[in-house]
Amino acid sequence: MDTQKTNHSLLVKRETDSNLRHLINGIHSVYHCNHYISLFTQLADDAKLLQGSTLLANAAAESFYEVFFSYFQENQIPTFQDKINIIEQYFSFSGLGQLKLLLTENEPDAGKATMTCSHIDTAWLKKWSSRPEPVNFIGHGFIKAACALLFETKLAAFVVDETESIVAGASKSVFQITLTNCEEE
Amino acid sequence: MAIDRTSAIAELAKIEPTANEEGLIPAFGLLIQQLPASFWNNFSDKIIQAAGEDLYESAAGLLENAGSECGYHTGWGIINSYEFKAIIGPMINPESAKEDLLEGAFAVVTAFGWANIAITELIPGEKMILKATDYYEADIKKNAPSLKQPFALMLKGISRAFMDIAYGDAEYPNGLGKFKCEQTKAIELGDPYGEFIVTRA
């Protein structure tokens, strides 16, 4: 087992199991490339009749929720801001870019997130080109998972709306986060 | 073939690409990420469920296509990387270079944790049979016990893409799509291992 501490406080435990699977903090994780993630995103975007972008965001939200939940159970993270730091560091550690969560403890009603660098947008731009509509459905899911963990709600409690996108030419992506009354999964 | 698979996997597994100051992971001429395997399975399952029987072939085909493009571009990047040349290069016999290269590429697939998969039969340029004793796509059986179709669409795509790299009629990046792959056994459907047969399209 290889244990390393990143610049701030995200603890990363890397293990390889008997099937040669890679475990990061006990969660099986795999490398994939910009082509693969772009084609998943394109498939989700094209499947509008099936609400593909929502399916992709939900898939991301469910998986990242498990990652954060497991991490916070294993490690004593003392404060709300420390948890935010961990989530932001995990985002970068995973290769997804740079995320800043602008959230206030006990005030889940409205928040904001920004990405000054986004793997999803960069991958899309490398493979195709800019477009006016957002493509970062996986980022939406990541932010939803973070908010659900931080405010101890269900995943469906938050709506994430991307108002500025790197893929559309903005210098950073901006996400507005709204708490809804929807508590159904 | 001359590849010492066990040794190759052990050495390749030591490669741990890490994120730069922008939170991106450049590796093998690409940008990569390291995400939970459950995420990839989760979306594939959701889109296939939403597609239903009528649109199954389309959805599965697009997921396999994502795997093939990933395998083609990432595979090309990996076999041309310094790390691959340093580890696998000395094991390659010039007389069986393409076959050794293929075996080395599947050692990478195993070392990177996608699948414990190896070639069991190879007719150069024509046919390849692969056996996978473990692969993350098989984990779907935990969430979808009533699964009716094989689910290893990423592995199908990667397997045929690697044949394109080795024996495609055109040089990279123009040689994708000359081979097809069938999954004939599936752990996710109760078989003891996964089996993949690649032939000319």
Side-chain angles (χ1 to χ4, degrees):
Chain A
M1 181 195 300
D2 176 22
T3 302
Q4 64 193 75
K5 205 157 192 171
T6 57
N7 287 341
H8 297 91
S9 53
L10 174 67
L11 191 65
V12 176
K13 287 186 289 184
R14 289 183 180 271
E15 297 169 273
T16 302
D17 74 6
S18 59
N19 281 315
L20 303 171
R21 292 179 174 216
H22 296 194
L23 307 180
I24 294 176
N25 295 336
I27 306 277
H28 180 210
S29 305
V30 291
Y31 291 114
H32 270 299
C33 68
N34 49 291
H35 295 281
Y36 195 61
I37 207 161
S38 292
L39 287 162
F40 262 56
T41 301
Q42 186 196 39
L43 170 54
D45 189 51
D46 287 346
K48 289 184 171 56
L49 284 174
L50 307 178
Q51 296 184 298
S53 58
T54 302
L55 297 179
L56 187 56
N58 288 347
E62 290 162 14
S63 290
F64 290 121
Y65 184 92
E66 183 189 347
V67 169
F68 305 146
F69 183 81
S70 166
Y71 189 92
F72 293 148
Q73 275 217 321
E74 288 257 326
N75 301 277
Q76 295 301 315
I77 311 300
T79 70
F80 185 80
Q81 190 57 49
D82 285 331
K83 289 179 180 174
I84 286 179
N85 290 344
I86 294 289
I87 290 168
E88 291 173 347
Q89 287 166 44
Y90 176 82
F91 189 82
S92 293
F93 165 81
S94 301
L96 289 173
Q98 284 182 322
L99 171 71
K100 194 76 187 161
L101 291 170
L102 305 166
L103 304 168
T104 305
E105 189 170 15
N106 300 322
E107 293 181 22
D109 301 43
K112 199 163 109 174
T114 62
M115 291 180 197
T116 49
C117 184
S118 157
H119 172 72
I120 310 290
D121 292 71
T122 305
W124 187 281
L125 289 168
K126 278 171 75 79
K127 193 160 185 66
W128 294 295
S129 61
S130 64
R131 59 176 242 172
E133 305 87 7
V135 296
N136 199 347
F137 315 127
I138 296 169
H140 291 200
F142 189 100
I143 292 166
K144 279 180 82 165
C147 290
L149 247 296
L150 289 164
F151 294 111
E152 300 179 358
T153 67
K154 291 185 175 177
L155 284 172
F158 288 94
V159 170
V160 177
D161 183 27
E162 190 170 347
T163 54
E164 294 176 47
S165 302
I166 292 171
V167 79
S171 60
K172 63 182 177 185
S173 294
V174 178
F175 303 81
Q176 299 294 336
I177 304 161
T178 311
L179 180 69
T180 72
N181 292 323
C182 178
E183 282 289 306
E184 291 177 15
E185 285 297 302
Chain B
M1 292 183 193
I3 301 297
D4 177 350
R5 181 174 154 84
T6 304
S7 162
I9 290 169
E11 289 302 310
L12 289 163
K14 293 177 185 170
I15 302 171
E16 283 185 2
T18 52
N20 62 19
E21 67 281 358
E22 292 185 295
L24 300 177
I25 308 177
F28 314 116
L30 302 155
L31 285 177
I32 64 173
Q33 22 38 58
Q34 190 167 26
L35 304 183
S38 65
F39 158 65
W40 300 107
N41 280 348
N42 198 355
F43 175 68
S44 299
D45 184 41
K46 284 180 189 296
I47 198 79
I48 283 175
Q49 294 290 336
E53 288 185 15
D54 289 349
L55 294 174
Y56 171 81
E57 292 297 335
S58 297
L62 288 168
L63 290 168
E64 181 187 333
N65 182 58
S68 73
E69 287 216 25
C70 167
Y72 192 64
H73 297 295
T74 308
W76 180 260
I78 287 173
I79 64 174
N80 286 290
S81 69
Y82 167 80
E83 293 89 345
F84 188 88
K85 288 177 178 173
I87 295 167
I88 303 295
M91 301 180 189
I92 291 178
N93 180 344
E95 292 179 4
S96 57
K98 289 186 174 180
E99 293 71 40
D100 291 350
L101 193 93
L102 262 179
E103 195 166 13
F106 281 104
V108 172
V109 171
T110 300
F112 280 14
W114 290 339
N116 198 340
I117 187 169
I119 300 169
T120 57
E121 185 183 329
L122 181 63
I123 301 172
E126 295 300 326
K127 183 180 180 183
M128 173 172 66
I129 302 179
L130 299 144
K131 177 179 179 179
T133 55
D134 182 65
Y135 46 98
Y136 76 78
E137 290 171 297
D139 293 352
I140 196 62
K141 67 183 177 186
K142 294 174 196 162
N143 298 328
S146 59
L147 193 73
K148 292 179 181 147
Q149 303 271 13
F151 191 75
L153 300 162
M154 187 272 300
L155 268 186
K156 279 179 72 178
I158 280 182
S159 298
R160 66 177 169 83
F162 283 3
M163 280 290 268
D164 279 322
I165 291 173
Y167 304 111
D169 299 332
E171 291 291 314
Y172 181 89
N174 300 313
L176 184 60
K178 308 300 180 192
F179 287 87
K180 62 183 178 184
C181 181
E182 291 300 320
Q183 186 181 357
T184 50
K185 292 186 191 301
I187 294 172
E188 62 274 26
L189 294 180
D191 293 319
Y193 57 89
E195 184 181 72
F196 302 84
I197 301 178
V198 184
T199 53
R200 286 207 168 262

